[in-house]
């Protein structure tokens, strides 16, 4: 979510964000001036729609109308349009410029509306109209979507199959941006007179794409509160974790106990269906826990383990 807002600031014509970026690495890139504040940006937060609109069969249509209503404020010509793709086409005709579309938590609809086929089918039709039509290349300079889960194995994957995908299982080459790197945490510890070894014990352990990263929320909370404790895990009740463990699929509970003791467990991430309800094996649940941040995974050795003291405490509670 931080990344989506950063991209909005960088690309959007509605602001002058040069001061934010001119001292960063991006300013040395040859495309910096070409892209800085050069695009119309549309930002959609799917969780906001889910929390403010009634979750019935008309949810997606109401979501479209909300977006079109926003566009009307700048482009009155889109008034009375029923479909977002038609409104975007009119906007493009007026400006003759491509759009950057940013969608935060695109998969929230699948997580929050499980079993509501009418909503999900309508949502997929919306995505397909945007990303699988002959107009896609004409309308969009780029589309960036975030989600908790990968996208490639949803039942309706054809609607979103044209994206490059970066996950906690295979994040290359973006791994250094998933969390704080060791160098960044060491620098923070020196600046705030914190014990790096303790910080490492509590919050290190995520091994993604060959590098170690730390949970940013936990590191910052521990500095602000001047105490090492569990912070990130407080954002989700451990009952959610317990639900998976008690199923004991193919000896899952025994594998969890071995990981609590410090073992690395071999898992097959290929069978995971990328949802939160289809589990055939223990590996499917362990792969989900990798994506949720409860486990870390080494792509080369195909093993998973509990990353640090903070998360291990959550497993012990369960």
């Amino acid at each position: 979510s931080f990344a989506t807002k950063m991209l909005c600031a960088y690309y959007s014509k509605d602001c002058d964000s040069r001061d934010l970026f001119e001292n960063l690495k991006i300013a040395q890139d040859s495309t910096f001036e070409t892209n800085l504040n050069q695009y119309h940006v549309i930002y959609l937060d799917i969780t906001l729609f889910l929390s403010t609109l009634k979750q019935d069969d008309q949810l997606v249509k109401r979501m479209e109308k909300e977006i079109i209503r926003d566009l009307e404020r700048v482009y009155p010509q889109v008034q009375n349009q029923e479909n977002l793709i038609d409104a975007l086409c009119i906007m493009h005709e007026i400006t003759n410029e491509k759009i950057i579309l940013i969608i935060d938590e695109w998969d929230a609809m699948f997580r929050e509306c499980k079993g509501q086929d009418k909503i999900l089918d309508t949502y997929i039709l919306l995505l397909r109209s945007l990303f699988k039509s002959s107009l896609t290349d004409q309308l969009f300079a780029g589309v960036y979507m975030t989600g908790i889960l990968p996208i490639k194995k949803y039942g309706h994957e054809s609607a979103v199959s044209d994206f490059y995908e970066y996950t906690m299982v295979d994040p290359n080459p973006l791994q250094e941006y998933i969390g704080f790197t060791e160098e960044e945490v060491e620098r923070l510890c020196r600046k705030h007179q914190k014990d790096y070894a303790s910080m490492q014990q509590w919050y290190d352990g995520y091994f993604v794409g060959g590098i170690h990263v730390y949970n940013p929320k936990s590191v910052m909370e521990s500095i602000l509160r001047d105490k090492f404790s569990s912070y990130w895990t407080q954002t989700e009740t451990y009952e959610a974790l317990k639900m998976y463990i008690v199923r004991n699929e193919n000896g899952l509970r025994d594998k969890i106990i071995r990981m609590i003791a410090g073992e690395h467990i071999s898992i097959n991430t290929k069978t995971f269906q990328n949802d939160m309800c289809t589990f055939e094996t223990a590996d499917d649940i362990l792969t989900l826990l990798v994506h949720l941040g409860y486990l870390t995974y080494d792509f080369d050795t195909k093993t998973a383990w509990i990353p640090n003291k903070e998360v291990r405490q959550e497993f012990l509670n369960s």
Side-chain angles (χ1 to χ4, degrees):
S1 296
F2 281 117
T4 60
K5 294 186 174 71
M6 179 269 292
L7 291 174
C8 286
Y10 175 67
Y11 284 113
S12 178
K13 281 187 167 190
D14 292 332
C15 64
D16 179 0
S17 60
R18 180 176 298 275
D19 287 349
L20 288 174
F21 295 98
E22 64 182 356
N23 293 321
L24 304 180
K25 289 182 181 180
I26 185 64
Q28 307 306 315
D29 192 275
S30 60
T31 64
F32 178 63
E33 296 288 348
T34 306
N35 293 315
L36 180 68
N37 304 139
Q38 295 298 311
Y39 293 93
H40 297 290
V41 175
I42 297 177
Y43 171 79
L44 307 179
D45 181 350
I46 302 303
T47 58
L48 179 63
F49 290 117
L50 287 169
S51 63
T52 58
L53 299 177
K54 184 179 180 182
Q55 293 187 24
D56 59 17
D57 290 350
Q58 295 301 308
L59 169 62
V60 177
K61 185 51 66 176
R62 280 195 292 271
M63 186 174 79
E64 277 193 271
K65 288 182 178 179
E66 290 283 340
I67 301 167
I68 293 171
R69 188 175 297 120
D70 267 359
L71 292 176
E72 280 179 26
R73 292 153 66 180
V74 184
Y75 304 102
Q77 297 92 329
V78 307
Q79 189 175 11
N80 300 322
Q81 293 300 314
E82 293 292 323
N83 300 315
L84 178 58
I85 186 67
D86 294 333
L88 293 178
C89 286
I90 292 173
M91 175 180 168
H92 180 263
E93 288 175 3
I94 297 169
T95 65
N96 197 32
E97 297 174 354
K98 290 187 175 183
I99 302 161
I100 297 283
L101 178 62
I102 296 177
I103 304 179
D104 194 16
E105 294 205 54
W106 87 275
D107 63 332
M109 199 76 72
F110 291 93
R111 292 184 278 110
E112 299 294 331
C113 300
K114 292 191 293 286
Q116 301 185 59
D117 292 341
K118 178 68 173 178
I119 293 177
L120 297 181
D121 288 343
T122 309
Y123 184 52
I124 284 298
L125 288 174
L126 171 61
L127 296 177
R128 184 173 288 129
S129 72
L130 296 173
F131 306 140
K132 298 293 283 189
S133 76
S134 58
L135 299 170
T136 300
D137 289 340
Q138 177 182 334
L139 290 176
F140 300 116
V143 180
Y144 180 85
M145 303 199 303
T146 72
I148 292 175
L149 300 177
I151 63 177
K152 62 180 181 297
K153 294 180 185 174
Y154 280 116
H156 307 281
E157 75 249 43
S158 60
V160 287
S161 59
D162 294 336
F163 287 83
Y164 294 107
E165 185 176 68
Y166 307 95
T167 73
M168 292 297 285
V169 169
D170 188 10
N172 289 356
L174 302 181
Q175 58 268 37
E176 67 180 290
Y177 309 111
I178 287 175
F180 287 167
T181 63
E182 291 178 294
E183 178 185 352
E184 289 167 334
V185 175
E186 284 185 32
R187 190 162 64 243
L188 284 168
C189 287
R190 287 195 301 269
K191 179 179 179 180
H192 298 279
Q193 291 84 51
K194 305 299 178 186
D195 180 51
Y196 176 67
S198 297
M199 192 74 77
Q200 194 173 33
Q201 182 184 31
W202 271 93
Y203 309 121
D204 186 17
Y206 292 101
F207 190 70
V208 290
I211 70 168
H212 286 267
V213 296
Y214 290 65
N215 186 318
K217 175 178 173 59
S218 298
V219 171
M220 295 306 297
E221 287 254 15
S222 69
I223 291 173
L224 291 169
R225 296 173 181 268
D226 196 24
K227 182 174 66 174
F228 295 107
S229 185
S230 297
Y231 296 110
W232 168 75
T233 53
Q234 301 305 310
T235 61
E236 291 284 349
T237 173
Y238 79 86
E239 289 297 331
L241 180 59
K242 184 178 178 181
M243 175 180 70
Y244 299 116
I245 296 176
V246 297
R247 292 179 60 146
N248 204 26
E249 299 277 356
N250 301 100
L252 173 67
R253 189 186 297 119
D254 296 334
K255 292 181 179 182
I256 294 291
I257 291 171
R258 288 167 56 194
M259 285 193 285
I260 290 174
E263 287 191 40
H264 292 204
I265 301 294
S266 296
I267 66 171
N268 177 12
T269 62
K270 300 297 184 182
T271 61
F272 180 50
Q273 295 302 303
N274 293 357
D275 61 37
M276 301 184 78
C277 55
T278 307
F279 304 115
E280 300 296 333
T281 67
D283 285 352
D284 291 343
I285 297 177
L286 292 173
T287 303
L288 172 62
L289 295 177
V290 171
H291 289 297
L292 294 178
Y294 286 106
L295 298 176
T296 189
Y297 177 77
D298 185 343
F299 185 83
D300 293 327
T301 63
K302 303 295 188 289
T303 58
W305 64 94
I306 297 172
N308 52 46
K309 185 174 180 178
E310 180 182 37
V311 180
R312 182 173 289 106
Q313 186 59 52
E314 199 75 355
F315 278 102
L316 287 170
N317 290 342
S318 295

